[in-house]
Amino acid sequence: MLEKKEKEDGLKIYNTLTGRKEEFAPVQPGHVGMYVCGVTVYDVCHIGHARSAIVFDVTRRYLRHKGYDVKFVKNFTDIDDKIINKANREGIPWTDVVKKYTDKYYEDMHRLGVEDADVEPRATGHIKEIIEIVKGLVDKGYAYVVDGDVYFDVENYKDYGKLSKRNPDDMMAGARVEVDERKRNPMDFALWKASKPGEPSWKSPWGPGRPGWHIECSAMSLKHLGGRFDIHAGGADLIFPHHENERAQSEAYTGVSPFVKYWMHNGFITVDKEKMSKSLGNFFTIEEILDKFDPGAVRLFLLQTHYKNPIEFSNEPLREAELALGRFYETVERVHEFVEKTPDEPGKEPPKGLEEAADGLMKKFTEAMDDDFNTAMAIGHVFELVKEINRFLDSKPRGPRAKDILRRAEAALREAGGILNLFEKTPLDWQRALLKVRHIGIEEPEIERLIAGRQEARKAKDFSRADEIRKSLEEKGIILEDKKDETVWRVKV
RNA sequence: GGCGGCGUACCCAAGUGGCAAGGGAGAGGUCUGCAAAACCUCCAUUCAGCGGUUCAAGUCCGCUCGCCGCCUCCA
């Protein structure tokens, strides 16, 4: 019993490989090795990429919060057909394509609050390791060479199809791809591709060429995390063929099985119920979304649904997320006001309820997150506490004890928010952010000036003048709220 | 054709055996020079449909209907 307690910490992860939620137990106690498939840098990122990045950013932060020493690896695919094609089309070196979209990736992700990985390896930086593995696979009889190409022989790897839950025979029957005559089996895939003249290439025992798509991840995960590590993650569309193939290569090469303990895959973003994708052209880029919405709202929108479920994309729920965030900051502002303005003299005993809710938040939050990173439920708990805080403030509490409880409540909100990398702004900064993102053509000092003018008018009981100022601001999307001794501005949502 | 997933209020969305979280919209109310905003309260005896297991089912099992994904590059 005691032993069990030490081993398990309550975290459960849905494992694509087994199709079940499993108790999380890392390969090495206290440490977590996590590999996330990043992007191929041939174009700008869309909201689907953002989802994957944000979901696993939170996974990482939560594991860290639980006290694990997390080594987080996220790769860039910086050589493949799409990159070469793009370079040809634009008449620029392929390395320029890589540079351009890698920079853009960082810009987008930083804006979304996605933390950089501990290691961010690139395929082209691991050619030596890749060749090493391909050579090993050929030597062991798992791969064969044809005209400078090297293929993985799926027939020799008995576990093929286990991750994506399909058997090779069925796949052959339904294969829609034109079969390459030189392959022994239609499912065989390239480990190394011979390059055509003019294409980027590296020297290899099989002639000049470049790595196949899947092999880079095998090489990089092996190098940076070892032959057996904890979590491998990516979008659900990577399950087949990418992760299936990667698994086959890695395990065939090292002989270690399973090389990954937990496979995690996030669901898609859909538009009109259809998967958002480059080929359908129904995608929204991160840049265009951030031009209209605050990054926090985007994060909240994405985390309000469990990571495995699909999310239907549209402006409406994003707007709702923004509204919800505003409500959060509004409450924080009320707390600050109360803490600043309430005298320290002893007051009546504050009502129960909030104290319990405040001190209990992290337990509930943790329980939700322990259940396969259920951010949707965890966020629900956060908003329950927000509601409780408001109820408490409405009861007109007094005294240092009430202040203390509110401080603890805010601290709990901040702690939960820190794990999600949400709710981190001050209420004023939130308004300033909205001012920008809504493209309201008026600067803060100007608003303050108008407010001051209106205060004058109010003092002089010139209410029609005061109302006029308010109205003119409202037309621009700024709402004025009269409080006891001041007037504050808000962006209309 | 093979494999997998989903269907919870007007909308979005948690909930995987024990009285249906949360957000938006809507309705009442508090506050206020008037407002607005904010806040509070209310808002699913019911979980696509039909059967079954159980003391107990949205939750497990079976079938039906509807939607989606993967099997080709894809987060």
Side-chain angles (χ1 to χ4, degrees):
Chain A
M1 194 64 199
L2 192 73
E3 205 179 315
K4 199 177 173 191
K5 245 186 192 163
E6 278 172 350
K7 220 176 82 195
E8 296 176 352
D9 69 354
L11 176 62
K12 286 204 190 92
I13 298 181
Y14 179 87
N15 187 354
T16 306
L17 184 63
T18 58
R20 281 196 306 268
K21 258 187 230 172
E22 294 172 10
E23 205 65 55
F24 180 67
V27 173
Q28 205 186 80
H31 297 263
V32 176
M34 182 165 177
Y35 188 97
V36 178
C37 281
V39 295
T40 301
V41 278
Y42 76 104
D43 204 349
V44 296
C45 291
H46 59 63
I47 183 77
H49 299 101
R51 182 179 195 190
S52 185
I54 288 172
V55 159
F56 298 118
D57 180 56
V58 170
T59 302
R60 171 201 200 179
R61 287 171 194 267
Y62 185 63
L63 287 166
R64 211 193 272 148
H65 167 81
K66 288 198 73 109
Y68 289 107
D69 175 26
V70 183
K71 185 169 181 184
F72 189 87
V73 181
K74 181 151 67 180
N75 72 292
F76 286 102
T77 297
D78 64 346
I79 181 66
D80 98 331
D81 290 349
K82 292 194 290 292
I83 293 170
I84 296 170
N85 291 341
K86 184 102 175 187
N88 289 342
R89 227 172 327 160
E90 299 195 352
I92 55 174
W94 66 275
T95 45
D96 285 6
V97 173
V98 167
K99 168 103 175 54
K100 178 176 171 187
Y101 294 109
T102 303
D103 289 350
K104 186 65 188 150
Y105 169 88
Y106 278 119
E107 186 193 324
D108 287 345
M109 293 304 161
H110 290 163
R111 289 179 74 189
L112 287 169
V114 173
E115 197 180 338
D116 288 349
D118 298 313
V119 186
E120 302 186 325
R122 292 149 187 255
T124 56
H126 294 71
I127 300 294
K128 202 182 91 215
E129 288 84 351
I130 289 169
I131 289 173
E132 187 76 14
I133 293 174
V134 176
K135 216 193 284 174
L137 287 170
V138 172
D139 289 347
K140 289 182 186 187
Y142 282 111
Y144 56 94
V145 185
V146 188
D147 310 330
D149 288 342
V150 184
Y151 291 101
F152 187 88
D153 185 351
V154 295
E155 206 111 307
N156 269 337
Y157 176 70
K158 56 175 184 1
D159 243 12
Y160 195 77
K162 193 174 167 192
L163 180 69
S164 54
K165 311 220 166 22
R166 55 194 86 207
N167 75 64
D169 302 333
D170 291 342
M171 283 191 285
M172 277 181 262
R176 282 187 265 151
V177 214
E178 224 172 293
V179 177
D180 186 333
E181 294 289 310
R182 304 172 310 163
K183 287 190 197 173
R184 290 181 190 167
N185 182 309
M187 299 315 296
D188 290 352
F189 54 91
L191 297 170
W192 186 263
K193 296 164 119 162
S195 53
K196 299 188 195 89
E199 281 184 353
S201 69
W202 286 262
K203 268 193 279 181
S204 83
W206 318 282
R210 58 192 157 90
W213 175 35
H214 320 294
I215 195 69
E216 55 171 273
C217 286
S218 287
M220 295 187 284
S221 66
L222 179 64
K223 178 170 180 185
H224 299 288
L225 293 169
R228 184 159 152 76
F229 60 96
D230 302 295
I231 299 172
H232 193 130
D237 44 6
L238 296 180
I239 296 172
F240 190 89
H242 184 55
H243 287 161
E244 190 70 69
N245 292 353
E246 194 184 328
R247 200 174 156 263
Q249 296 159 352
S250 288
E251 297 193 357
Y253 178 68
T254 64
V256 177
S257 178
F259 92 107
V260 167
K261 279 195 90 174
Y262 309 92
W263 289 89
M264 291 177 69
H265 295 96
N266 67 274
F268 302 124
I269 299 217
T270 59
V271 175
D272 295 328
K273 296 266 195 174
E274 266 184 326
K275 181 187 168 188
M276 182 183 291
S277 72
K278 283 275 164 65
S279 44
L280 284 168
N282 60 348
F283 60 92
F284 293 82
T285 67
I286 293 173
E287 186 174 25
E288 63 187 312
I289 290 168
L290 289 182
D291 188 50
K292 284 154 71 182
F293 298 97
D294 178 80
V298 176
R299 255 184 112 91
L300 182 61
F301 164 69
L302 294 173
L303 294 172
Q304 263 176 325
T305 300
H306 184 90
Y307 75 87
K308 285 206 306 290
N309 293 151
I311 297 182
E312 171 71 14
F313 179 85
S314 71
N315 284 341
E316 171 76 11
L318 267 164
R319 201 108 277 168
E320 285 177 11
E322 204 171 66
L323 227 50
L325 252 193
R327 195 171 113 92
F328 177 92
Y329 288 118
E330 196 80 42
T331 301
V332 170
E333 194 177 8
R334 285 186 86 193
V335 170
H336 288 175
E337 244 175 52
F338 180 87
V339 169
E340 278 161 31
K341 290 182 185 164
T342 306
D344 264 326
E345 68 220 24
K348 59 181 179 185
E349 180 61 16
K352 300 250 181 261
L354 179 60
E355 189 169 23
E356 223 171 279
D359 296 343
L361 175 67
M362 283 318 291
K363 184 171 180 283
K364 285 188 182 169
F365 186 90
T366 302
E367 270 169 18
M369 292 298 283
D370 273 349
D371 187 11
D372 196 27
F373 307 98
N374 193 336
T375 51
M377 190 175 206
I379 289 168
H381 291 314
V382 169
F383 279 99
E384 271 176 87
L385 179 57
V386 166
K387 188 181 202 168
E388 208 55 59
I389 291 172
N390 281 313
R391 206 177 291 168
F392 182 87
L393 287 168
D394 279 4
S395 76
K396 306 242 190 302
R398 296 226 210 140
R401 208 174 119 63
K403 278 196 201 178
D404 176 57
I405 293 172
L406 282 166
R407 280 203 196 95
R408 268 148 62 198
E410 192 190 343
L413 290 178
R414 295 284 180 198
E415 189 180 358
I419 294 165
L420 303 171
N421 197 16
L422 264 177
F423 314 129
E424 307 256 89
K425 290 190 169 86
T426 64
L428 181 59
D429 281 339
W430 167 248
Q431 290 302 323
R432 285 173 176 151
L434 281 182
L435 199 60
K436 266 200 199 130
V437 85
R438 286 295 166 83
H439 305 290
I440 291 174
I442 183 166
E443 299 287 325
E444 199 183 342
E446 171 72 1
I447 298 173
E448 295 294 351
R449 203 183 57 73
L450 287 166
I451 287 178
R454 178 165 168 275
Q455 289 300 67
E456 290 295 311
R458 287 180 77 205
K459 218 184 266 170
K461 301 261 188 238
D462 183 357
F463 292 123
S464 63
R465 170 79 190 132
D467 288 350
E468 204 175 290
I469 292 171
R470 178 163 58 198
K471 200 165 164 231
S472 74
L473 275 170
E474 191 177 347
E475 275 159 11
K476 294 197 170 79
I478 302 290
I479 283 167
L480 296 187
E481 290 177 27
D482 294 331
K483 304 221 171 181
K484 263 200 174 56
D485 43 12
E486 62 176 341
T487 295
V488 298
W489 60 272
R490 287 190 198 301
V491 175
K492 187 156 72 178
V493 276

